[in-house]
Amino acid sequence: MIEETAETNQTLLCSDCFTDEGLRIDAFKLGIEEHLKCPNCHSQEGRKLTKELIEALAWRFFVGGTTVRCDYGAAPVIQCNEHHFGRSDISPSIWLKDDIRLLEEAAQLGFFHYGPRLWMIGEVEPLKDLQDESKRLQIIKRVMKEYPVKTLVMGEKFYRLRICPQRPADPAEYDSPPIALAGKGRLDSPGFPIMYGSQDIDVCIHECRASTDDDIYVATLEPKRNLRLLDLTHLLEEDVTEFESLDMAIHMLFLARSHSYEISRAIALAAKEAGFDGIIYPSFFSLIRTGGHPFETTYGMSLRRYHPEREKYAEAYTIQNFALFGRPLENDLVSIKCINRLILTQVGYIGHFGPVEY
Ligand SMILES: [Zn+2]
């Protein structure tokens, strides 16, 4: 055991070992500050990397860094693992060639072109049925039945943000847009306005695409009675593969861009019909806010479904948004507790690098 710990703590490389600038910066961010000579390049300043850190670096740069989004889902072009050690088949830029050799030798892994399992790029039956107008209703009926009700308790606060409202101190400014303007968002339709809110102010800022130039106001609201919401952030227990998973279908639907809106709008209308006051749905910005990676897998299996602590895993990477139906302030469903001006002093981007060709 002691030997093993010594081995895993051993420095194998450092950030100065690499030629690729992005890889060097990522390595610096991950590495340990330690002013000893690197066993490979002898630099004292480079941040030191153990085998475990090298694996994390390789994954972040080559797997995270080559992930492409599809209409629904996303998948990496490159994968790496120990089974492909000595059998790498990628063709990187010249400046990456030596870096890759270093990573392969130190972590005993190989890089290869990954043919994703098709569910990762949206080949999920319930999702395909949702896109098919003749089958959509059938799946929506399942959604109404299989997802749980969650209560937004009277007095539990949440936020709603407005950019440049005409009369910032007027509570009416923070209701849903007027009926005539409804139908542009993820869940509202013509004639069916929706109030979007969240308990996470940072998500409100993302959702509104607010920038430092904007005059921003945030209202703190609370329900005047318990509200019955359909909770679409709930992780469904299912006995099927990813290909047949309703959970995966809904998860992918809310991480998709505006081409998916006609489906989410149909779900909102059905929930309204079914007597709900609104929907809790996963924010499109969940991943940005939590630093998660979309549709993460080990050996092609979804971590959302097979992670040993899948509920905690899903929760950690999901930000909940509220969509309350109609005009809740006008309808006396919620009230304004407070309005503040919000000044953005810093907008942070945290990222990492990936290769340009492979
Ligand atoms: Zn080094």
Side-chain angles (χ1 to χ4, degrees), residues 12-18 38-43 46-48:
L12 299 175
L13 299 173
C14 80
S15 54
D16 284 347
C17 291
F18 302 114
C38 165
N40 177 59
C41 76
H42 309 299
S43 159
R47 294 264 173 99
K48 304 301 181 292

Side-chain angles (χ1 to χ4, degrees), residues 210-228:
S211 79
T212 45
D213 293 337
D214 292 325
D215 199 19
I216 308 168
Y217 293 86
V218 57
T220 306
L221 299 122
E222 55 184 25
K224 294 179 83 170
R225 62 165 170 82
N226 288 353
L227 300 182
R228 266 183 88 239

Side-chain angles (χ1 to χ4, degrees), residues 162-211:
R162 287 285 325 267
I163 294 170
C164 305
Q166 280 183 334
R167 301 170 307 277
D170 178 359
E173 288 279 359
Y174 301 88
D175 210 343
S176 312
I179 289 185
L181 295 179
K184 296 195 181 75
R186 186 173 285 275
L187 294 157
D188 53 285
S189 324
F192 180 43
I194 279 184
M195 174 191 276
Y196 296 96
S198 174
Q199 288 179 312
D200 183 323
I201 291 193
D202 290 353
V203 163
C204 296
I205 296 169
H206 277 300
E207 297 274 0
C208 287
R209 279 106 170 139
S211 79

